[in-house]
């Protein structure tokens, strides 16, 4: 693993020397950072046992090393599908990719996922990965070359900070953020995924105006490449950006693309993105469609069923149970609204009857 880490360090330093000589002064024994506010001197010898740590101190990205290996008994952390039979079923190439080393503070917690294969990293925490992506991802990573590949994903959140959870590495590189932000201290994944009222990133969203005011778009850009020398390792980098969703008002075609992507996603993923409640789905898509319409474009509606018209598959993740809870909560809310409506109608009816009775003309006999 150290040899692979050293290869990554060498690749990063070569790139810096070529593309950013004004930010880094690279010598034989050390590297100096020249960015105002982040001026440091790092000796290579101090990182001989963990070259990846130096890499993470030089770039604003999470860095992970995945080791490609044959499927054998053991050799990784135990999890629900760690048996040889399950591993062979999950990895059609006969190869698995295990998280052997990494540092992160913006994406996944590598400490919790250390020595887990891709199947254990994603399942059962990520809906639809096991049922729809596992085999394709295994083939993709097995065929990966040093030329590399990049991809991105996205989610929504209701705060500006790029730190999502309080990962251990964040304490080394984001002290100021950790001191000034409190959201990470109470970060609770179950609360993030919850469809209960007052929980999750969409807890304050009831309609399109709330989306504009509250929501941020979080984009995660990733690169993957096989190391040229230590070819059984794949280096995986992750860079996160957070921007107010309302900035899409200046880019209506991007709003159109995002609305289409949301509508095309499997239903379970929406729960992973904290957008499991129908109210949140309608609010986000309503806001994005409004941006599209205001620009004279046609919203991406009616092409596929809307998210609230579909169901999450029972794939062994939390999404199926979350959807059941969301539907029961929605049904209870409708019953409460119906009861309130009936109560109001009954009160109005009673009031009208009393008014008519009071206004009824007095009989002629009583007048005499």
């Amino acid at each position: 693993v150290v040899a692979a880490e050293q290869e990554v360090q060498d690749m990063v330093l070569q790139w810096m020397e070529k593309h950013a000589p004004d930010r880094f002064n690279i010598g034989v024994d050390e590297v100096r950072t020249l960015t105002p506010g982040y001026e440091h001197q790092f000796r290579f010898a101090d990182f001989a046992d963990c070259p990846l740590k130096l890499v993470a101190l030089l770039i604003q990205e999470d860095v992970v090393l995945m080791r490609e290996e044959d499927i054998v008994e053991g050799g990784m952390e135990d999890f629900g599908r760690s048996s040889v039979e399950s591993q062979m079923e999950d990895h059609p190439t006969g190869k698995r990719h295990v998280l052997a080393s990494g540092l992160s503070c913006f994406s996944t917690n590598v400490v919790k996922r250390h020595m887990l294969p891709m199947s254990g990293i994603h399942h059962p925490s990520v809906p639809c990965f096991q049922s729809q992506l596992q085999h394709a991802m295994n083939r993709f990573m097995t065929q990966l070359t040093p030329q590399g590949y990049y991809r991105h994903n996205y989610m929504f959140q209701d705060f500006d900070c790029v730190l999502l959870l309080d990962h251990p590495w964040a304490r080394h590189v984001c002290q100021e953020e950790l001191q000034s932000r409190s959201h990470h201290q109470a970060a609770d994944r179950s609360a993030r995924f919850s469809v209960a009222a007052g929980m999750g990133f969409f807890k304050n969203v009831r309609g399109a105006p709330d989306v504009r005011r509250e929501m941020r778009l979080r984009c995660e850009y990733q690169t993957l490449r096989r190391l040229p020398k230590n070819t059984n390792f794949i280096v995986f980098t992750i860079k996160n950006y957070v921007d107010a969703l309302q900035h899409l008002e200046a880019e209506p075609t991007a709003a159109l693309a995002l609305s289409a992507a949301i509508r095309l996603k499997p239903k379970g993923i929406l729960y992973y993105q904290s957008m499991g409640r129908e109210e949140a789905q309608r609010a986000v898509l309503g806001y994005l469609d409004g941006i599209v319409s205001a620009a004279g474009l046609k919203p991406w509606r009616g092409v596929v069923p809307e998210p609230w018209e579909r169901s999450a598959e029972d794939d062994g993740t939390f999404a199926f149970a979350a959807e059941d809870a969301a539907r029961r909560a929605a049904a209870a809310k409708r019953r409460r609204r119906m009861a309130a409506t009936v109560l109001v109608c009954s009160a109005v009816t009673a009031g009208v009857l009393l008014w008519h009775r009071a206004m009824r003309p007095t009989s002629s006999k009583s007048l005499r």
Side-chain angles (χ1 to χ4, degrees):
V1 175
V2 174
E5 290 188 11
Q6 185 63 54
E7 184 175 359
V8 173
Q9 178 185 292
D10 293 342
M11 292 169 63
V12 170
L13 291 174
Q14 289 171 13
W15 188 96
M16 290 175 171
E17 195 168 31
K18 181 178 180 180
H19 297 282
D22 58 325
R23 295 293 185 95
F24 302 93
N25 185 346
I26 301 171
V28 176
D29 301 318
E30 65 181 23
V31 55
R32 295 172 180 263
T33 59
L34 308 177
T35 302
Y38 191 74
E39 297 165 315
H40 296 279
Q41 177 181 342
F42 300 112
R43 296 178 63 253
F44 297 139
D46 295 335
F47 300 89
D49 294 334
C50 187
L52 207 62
K53 184 176 180 181
L54 175 57
V55 172
L57 288 168
L58 296 176
I59 62 175
Q60 293 180 330
E61 298 180 51
D62 292 345
V63 186
V64 177
L65 276 173
M66 307 295 294
R67 182 173 59 218
E68 184 175 280
E69 59 188 35
D70 293 329
I71 294 174
V72 295
E73 186 72 42
M76 59 183 182
E77 286 294 314
D78 188 36
F79 70 105
R81 296 185 62 82
S82 59
S83 67
V84 172
E85 293 76 12
S86 294
Q87 286 291 289
M88 292 298 294
E89 181 181 337
D90 292 343
H91 303 87
T93 66
K95 302 285 187 180
R96 66 189 181 199
H97 301 88
V98 178
L99 199 163
S101 180
L103 298 107
S104 69
C105 59
F106 306 117
S107 57
T108 189
N109 190 324
V110 295
V111 174
K112 292 182 178 179
R113 290 162 179 78
H114 184 236
M115 296 306 293
L116 283 175
M118 290 290 287
S119 54
I121 291 171
H122 292 88
H123 186 78
S125 59
V126 182
C128 305
F129 184 88
Q130 175 73 23
S131 60
Q132 300 190 31
L133 294 176
Q134 171 61 44
H135 285 187
M137 182 59 69
N138 179 243
R139 294 188 183 96
F140 165 76
M141 294 192 70
T142 303
Q143 297 170 7
L144 201 60
T145 69
Q147 183 177 357
Y149 183 86
Y150 75 91
R151 67 177 297 273
H152 79 278
N153 60 29
Y154 69 90
M155 61 175 289
F156 302 96
Q157 62 185 54
D158 58 356
F159 54 92
D160 293 319
C161 185
V162 72
L163 292 175
L164 185 58
L165 296 175
D166 187 10
H167 296 339
W169 182 241
R171 302 190 189 104
H172 296 278
V173 293
C174 303
Q175 299 95 336
E176 184 177 343
E177 287 281 5
L178 291 173
Q179 292 170 3
S180 62
R181 302 282 180 168
S182 60
H183 69 86
H184 64 277
Q185 297 172 358
D188 183 349
R189 291 180 68 85
S190 62
R192 164 188 158 189
F193 298 139
S194 175
V195 293
M199 300 184 74
F201 293 147
F202 286 84
K203 57 183 176 294
N204 296 320
V205 171
R206 300 294 179 269
D210 302 322
V211 174
R212 187 182 193 279
R213 182 182 65 254
E214 298 282 342
M215 302 313 299
R216 279 72 172 153
L217 181 65
R218 182 187 186 94
C219 290
E220 183 175 279
Y221 289 89
Q222 308 165 352
T223 69
L224 301 96
R225 70 180 65 215
R226 188 177 297 277
L227 295 183
K229 297 177 182 178
N230 296 274
T231 56
N232 61 322
F233 282 90
I234 292 171
V235 60
F236 180 30
T237 69
I238 308 107
K239 174 73 172 179
N240 286 269
Y241 299 87
V242 175
D243 207 358
L245 196 58
Q246 63 180 263
H247 290 170
L248 286 178
E249 293 172 9
E251 301 290 345
T253 55
L256 177 62
L258 180 57
S259 69
I262 293 172
R263 288 180 164 105
L264 286 169
K265 279 191 179 296
K267 182 67 176 291
I269 291 294
L270 299 183
Y271 288 92
Y272 185 71
Q273 294 180 324
S274 190
M275 197 166 50
R277 290 186 297 113
E278 179 179 337
E279 190 174 41
Q281 297 160 17
R282 287 183 180 274
V284 170
L285 289 174
Y287 175 66
L288 295 175
D289 289 347
I291 295 175
V292 173
S293 297
L297 303 174
K298 182 180 179 181
W300 209 81
R301 284 194 303 257
V303 183
V304 296
E306 297 286 27
W308 51 88
E309 298 171 344
R310 297 183 279 117
S311 299
E313 63 176 303
D314 189 0
D315 59 354
T317 69
F318 70 93
F320 187 75
E323 178 156 84
D324 180 61
R327 288 181 169 174
R328 285 188 281 107
K333 188 174 182 179
R334 287 193 295 269
R335 288 194 296 270
R336 289 194 297 270
R337 285 180 176 175
M338 181 65 71
T341 301
V342 170
L343 185 62
V344 171
C345 290
S346 298
V348 171
T349 301
V352 170
L353 290 174
L354 289 173
W355 182 80
H356 276 290
R357 186 173 299 172
M359 297 300 293
R360 185 179 301 167
T362 307
S363 66
S364 58
K365 184 177 178 181
S366 63
L367 287 173
R368 292 194 299 267

